[in-house]
Structures are given as C-alpha cells and as structure tokens.
Amino acid sequence: MFNKIKKVFSDLSRKLSDAITKKELSEEEFEEIFSDFEITLLEGDVAYDVVELLKENLKKELVGMKLSRFGGSEEVVRSKIRDVIHSLLAKGVPDKDLIDLVREGPKPFKIVFLGVNGVGKTTTIAKVAYRLRKVGLRPVIVAADTFRAGAQEQLEIHAKRLSVPFIKGKYGADPAAVAKDGVIHAEKNFLDAVLIDTAGRMHTDVDLMNEIRKVVRVVRPDMKVLVLDALTGNDAIQQASFFDKAVGVDAVILTKLDADAKGGSALSILMTVGKPILYVGVGQDYEDLIKYDPNEILNKLLEQ
Ligand SMILES: Nc1nc2c(ncn2[C@@H]2O[C@H](COP(=O)(O)OP(=O)(O)OP(=O)(O)O)[C@@H](O)[C@H]2O)c(=O)[nH]1
Ligand SMILES: [Mg+2]
C-alpha cells in the first residue's frame, strides 16, 4: 500500500534538498523540480486538484529556503513535506470519537449509513457494532435495505455473530418504516445506538435519493455517515457532494484502504472530502476499522 506515492515523496525530497543545499530555492526551480513529479503523482491516482494543493502548500514552505551544505538537509526538507501533508490531512480529524458521541449523545443515538453500491456500508455497520459492544454499549442493527436480495440475510448473520439485536422488514417494505421500527425497539429496550443500513444507491438515482430523504425525515438521525470506498478516488468526492446536498453528511468512513495499492486515491479523498473522517476500513474482519490518524497515514506515505 502507498508504495508508489512513497517513492515519489522520497525522490522529491531528495531533489529539493539537493537544490536547496546549493542555493536559496527560487519559485522557478521549485516549479521545475515539482513538475517532474506531477505525472508520477497523477499516475499514482492522486487527483489533479490534490496535486495542485500539494504544490501550492509545498511552494509556500520551501521557496526561499536555504540550508547548510553540511548534512541533514534532506531530513529538514522531508520534515517540511511531512508537515505540509500532515496539515492537509489533519483537517479531517473528528472532534470526538463515535464512541464518545454515543455515550454522551441522546439515547438512543441514531446513525444512518449512506453510500453508493458496494462501498462497504453493511460490513462497516457490523464493524461499528463490534466496536460499540467492545466498550459495553448496546446497539441495535436495522436492515433498512429492503431492496437488494440477500441484504437482510447478510446483516442478520453479522448481528447473530455479534450478539446484537436485529430488526428487519419484508423485501420491498418501506425502508423508512423499517428504520422507525428499529428506533422504537431501541427506545423500548433502552439501547444506546441504532445503526441503520440502507440500500446502496447511485447518487444520480432520483427515486432512491428520495427514499433516503424519507428515511432521514422519519428517523431524524443524530448522525448521517457517508461510507466511501478508497478505490474510487475523484468519484468519491462527487458522491460526497451529492449526498451532502441531498440529505446532509455529518461524517465519512473511508473503506478499503488496505486495497488501495497505489495510495493516491485514498490520499486524495482524505485531503479533499471536507468532512470529519470517523474511521477508516483496513480489511474485512470486525477489528479492521480503525480511527483515522493522519500520522499513521503519513508513516505509510513517507519513508521513515
Ligand atoms: N479489503 C476490504 N474490503 C472491504 C472493506 N470494507 C468492506 N469490504 C468488502 O467490500 C464488499 C462490499 O461490502 P458491503 O458491506 O456488502 O457493501 P455495501 O455498501 O453494503 O453494498 P450494497 O449493500 O450492495 O450497496 C465486501 O466484499 C466487503 O467484505 C475494507 O475495509 N477492506
Ligand atoms: Mg449493504
């Protein structure tokens, strides 16, 4: 993971530190050195806007810089690059962990999970339920995906494995009604959280987008979590903007970070999605949902 991008940043810091040790780095020199890396970044699936963002921010930090010829300059440049990337990634760190939000928020804390087909909503809900259970919180899982064949069974298997109560509806039932049943179940049983799974939908599908609006209107969730797939790059940013306009997105979970071999796609989403990133998915097991930590991303991204 991230191997290609890692090499780019490593080469870039070497070239820049070479230039900076000789004399003060001019804007023209910076542009020239950086332009050699633009293509490689794009080839590593870094979005064009993110390449530009990196360029502008690195330029601000490095132009005019001059370093001693006697050792350590590559280290200094590397740490500048690290700082720039860190500050771009840090914007996505949420103020509070979901566990704390559930603990401190209204009871039950209602969360609707949204996203296009196959991004990992159902798997992520199971992982979140596992996390909540681990700290002694009691969620109910609600299958408001009454659309795709097998969706309810898929979630039911997870719920059984996790010993978490499960509410479902008939195929073709109104997802908003099923979601409401889940909330009522949680209220009656004094549960801590309601995790509502919804059918995957293309953001361009008007009927399904109206359906999700109805779920939100009926349930009045405390949080709307958009699930995005790290492999989808720029398209994920568009999905975020569509869902945000349609129902409002409070936070994002980015899945399949483990599957993004080049790394640029995930990096681009993390830097530009403009929403708090609650967790990242790094595999298919229940434990494979970890807190979003820019330092960990950086460690994968830059050679130590
Ligand atoms: N490698 C990897 N695979 C994941 C991750 N999260 C989910 N998946 C896989 O992605 C596939 C789709 O996951 P689902 O949870 O069914 O996706 P969904 O969004 O519910 O799909 P629909 O209900 O059809 O819209 C499954 O094979 C999951 O195991 C992750 O973090 N890493
Ligand atoms: Mg699903």
Side-chain angles (χ1 to χ4, degrees):
M1 177 192 183
F2 288 130
N3 279 339
K4 183 151 189 157
I5 306 291
K6 201 171 189 165
K7 181 158 175 9
V8 176
F9 285 124
S10 175
D11 292 350
L12 180 65
S13 55
R14 196 169 318 115
K15 276 237 163 141
L16 284 168
S17 66
D18 280 353
I20 290 172
T21 350
K22 282 177 195 131
K23 58 178 170 38
E24 194 179 293
L25 185 71
S26 71
E27 188 164 343
E28 292 69 41
E29 269 173 313
F30 172 86
E31 300 255 353
E32 200 184 313
I33 292 172
F34 193 85
S35 68
D36 288 344
F37 292 93
E38 281 181 353
I39 304 286
T40 332
L41 284 170
L42 292 167
E43 280 170 1
D45 291 341
V46 178
Y48 180 77
D49 288 350
V50 174
V51 173
E52 289 297 303
L53 196 66
L54 283 168
K55 182 173 158 181
E56 287 316 306
N57 283 277
L58 285 171
K59 196 196 281 184
K60 257 188 262 163
E61 279 296 315
L62 296 170
V63 167
M65 205 174 163
K66 190 168 184 297
L67 290 166
S68 143
R69 273 183 294 130
F70 306 105
S73 62
E74 200 175 328
E75 220 17 75
V76 176
V77 172
R78 202 193 292 271
S79 93
K80 286 271 182 199
I81 294 180
R82 200 183 163 89
D83 290 349
V84 164
I85 299 175
H86 188 277
S87 72
L88 292 173
L89 288 172
K91 290 181 182 138
V93 175
D95 296 336
K96 263 192 190 168
D97 185 40
L98 185 65
I99 300 287
D100 296 327
L101 290 170
V102 171
R103 272 209 187 102
E104 296 161 16
K107 258 190 208 327
F109 193 83
K110 297 167 285 186
I111 311 172
V112 172
F113 293 78
L114 316 156
V116 308
N117 307 74
V119 288
K121 295 176 293 299
T122 302
T123 313
T124 300
I125 286 180
K127 290 173 176 175
V128 170
Y130 173 81
R131 252 189 124 85
L132 292 170
R133 292 275 289 135
K134 233 168 80 172
V135 296
L137 290 166
R138 296 161 66 222
V140 55
I141 292 178
V142 187
D145 181 349
T146 57
F147 181 72
R148 180 171 65 77
Q152 308 235 341
E153 290 76 8
Q154 182 191 1
L155 201 49
E156 189 160 19
I157 291 168
H158 285 304
K160 279 206 177 113
R161 266 193 218 143
L162 294 163
S163 308
V164 166
F166 175 72
I167 300 291
K168 65 178 175 182
K170 289 203 172 66
Y171 277 102
D174 180 357
V178 179
K180 187 72 186 173
D181 282 350
V183 174
I184 292 167
H185 177 88
E187 284 169 350
K188 272 193 189 146
N189 294 280
F190 306 102
L191 301 180
D192 299 295
V194 187
L195 311 178
I196 301 166
D197 193 15
T198 61
R201 63 207 64 226
M202 290 317 289
H203 42 291
T204 44
D205 188 323
V206 177
D207 288 342
L208 281 175
M209 286 311 263
N210 281 334
E211 181 190 280
I212 200 72
R213 278 196 194 93
K214 186 172 173 195
V215 171
V216 166
R217 216 166 45 234
V218 170
V219 169
R220 296 175 172 278
D222 300 291
M223 190 168 224
K224 286 155 280 174
V225 174
L226 179 66
V227 181
L228 295 172
D229 176 337
L231 301 172
T232 53
N234 243 347
D235 199 49
I237 300 300
Q238 282 193 4
Q239 290 165 21
S241 132
F242 266 98
F243 277 95
D244 200 25
K245 274 190 204 123
V247 288
V249 169
D250 300 305
V252 161
I253 293 180
L254 186 63
T255 64
K256 308 187 197 180
L257 230 70
D258 54 303
D260 184 7
K262 292 183 189 166
S265 176
L267 184 70
S268 304
I269 298 168
L270 294 170
M271 280 186 179
T272 52
V273 73
K275 296 284 175 190
I277 296 142
L278 276 185
Y279 297 113
V280 293
V282 293
Q284 312 212 21
D285 294 334
Y286 294 140
E287 294 88 25
D288 294 332
L289 186 75
I290 57 173
K291 273 196 207 180
Y292 169 57
D293 179 355
N295 283 314
E296 267 183 40
I297 303 286
L298 271 167
N299 290 342
K300 290 191 170 59
L301 214 58
L302 304 180
E303 276 167 10
Q304 296 308 296

